[in-house]
Amino acid sequence: MSRNLIIFTDSGDTIIDEGTQIFDERGIVVSADPIPGAGEVLRQLKEEGYRIALVADGAWESFQNVYRENGLADCFEEWIVSETVGEQKPARAMFDAAMEKMGLTEAHKSFIVMIGNNLSRDVAGANRYGITSVWLDWSPRYFHTPQEPDWQPDYRVKTPEELKLLIWQLEEGCGRKRELADRIACKGKQPFPI
């Protein structure tokens, strides 16, 4: 089943518990565990037909190692990694790369959510880009109070299970947007691009 909502997600302390990372001598993560429930939620969203892109800062090899080890590599339609993009979030280039790789246009922005643990990178980047920001406030490692106006998330959840429920609610809202757009298209207006 195809879904209306498109998911961009960070990795560290959003899906993978940074506290469990094991590094090699080059600084590459060779092993790490998902945060409780995150692997199951990611797999379920993929199986339910959501298009999911990894949009994360770090080394390509680290993400490959961790997601293969945990049997989650196939959950992502695309992998947008700062090492290959050449910039880190909140840089626009990360989101531009995700849009391009996923074949998305400006018209899709109201259907995209960015999920992340970092207010200054994930949330600020999504807010500046004009997509919905979801803060997974699970980890004690980063800021917990917005220090800039664009660090304020659209939504805040504490666990992957809460995230799944939010995704379902947002999907329902996207379905209503899509129905409205389809009705407008039937009245001779420009067809909706999804």
Side-chain angles (χ1 to χ4, degrees):
M1 170 187 278
S2 179
R3 301 292 181 165
N4 294 304
L5 194 67
I6 300 161
I7 300 170
F8 292 176
T9 184
D10 183 45
S11 180
D13 285 346
T14 303
I15 300 170
I16 299 299
D17 180 350
E18 290 183 2
T20 66
Q21 294 178 123
I22 298 170
F23 296 86
D24 70 10
E25 66 284 349
R26 300 170 297 147
I28 298 297
V29 180
V30 293
S31 180
D33 298 323
I35 66 175
E40 295 83 1
V41 167
L42 180 64
R43 170 74 52 210
Q44 184 176 2
L45 293 172
K46 173 66 175 174
E47 288 170 357
E48 289 175 0
Y50 288 96
R51 297 180 68 196
I52 305 170
L54 181 70
V55 181
D57 296 328
W60 177 266
E61 187 178 346
S62 292
F63 297 117
Q64 291 290 312
N65 290 340
V66 168
Y67 287 103
R68 275 196 213 119
E69 171 190 34
N70 288 289
L72 299 170
D74 66 325
C75 289
F76 304 109
E77 181 177 324
E78 294 294 343
W79 298 58
I80 294 75
V81 175
S82 63
E83 179 184 49
T84 58
V85 172
E87 292 191 54
Q88 294 186 340
K89 291 172 292 178
R92 183 175 185 85
M94 289 289 287
F95 299 96
D96 284 342
M99 295 279 285
E100 182 179 333
K101 283 186 146 194
M102 298 279 284
L104 305 172
T105 67
E106 278 294 311
H108 293 100
K109 280 188 173 181
S110 65
F111 294 88
I112 300 170
V113 297
M114 174 66 204
I115 304 159
N117 69 310
N118 192 306
L119 294 171
S120 67
R121 290 178 181 242
D122 304 311
V123 170
N127 289 342
R128 292 173 192 170
Y129 201 70
I131 59 178
T132 300
S133 58
V134 178
W135 179 35
L136 181 62
D137 180 18
W138 176 83
S139 170
R141 282 182 259 281
Y142 299 99
F143 299 104
H144 285 268
T145 305
Q147 296 182 3
E148 301 292 335
D150 63 4
W151 290 20
Q152 186 65 46
D154 294 314
Y155 299 94
R156 175 186 174 190
V157 294
K158 294 288 280 179
T159 66
E161 189 63 31
E162 286 180 16
L163 174 63
K164 179 177 67 174
L165 297 175
L166 174 63
I167 293 296
W168 290 346
Q169 290 172 348
L170 294 174
E171 175 65 30
E172 192 174 301
C174 285
R176 287 192 295 271
K177 280 189 218 175
R178 177 74 186 262
E179 287 171 20
L180 177 61
D182 288 344
R183 279 196 295 254
I184 291 169
C186 289
K187 293 181 181 177
K189 303 278 186 198
Q190 190 80 336
F192 195 68
I194 290 181

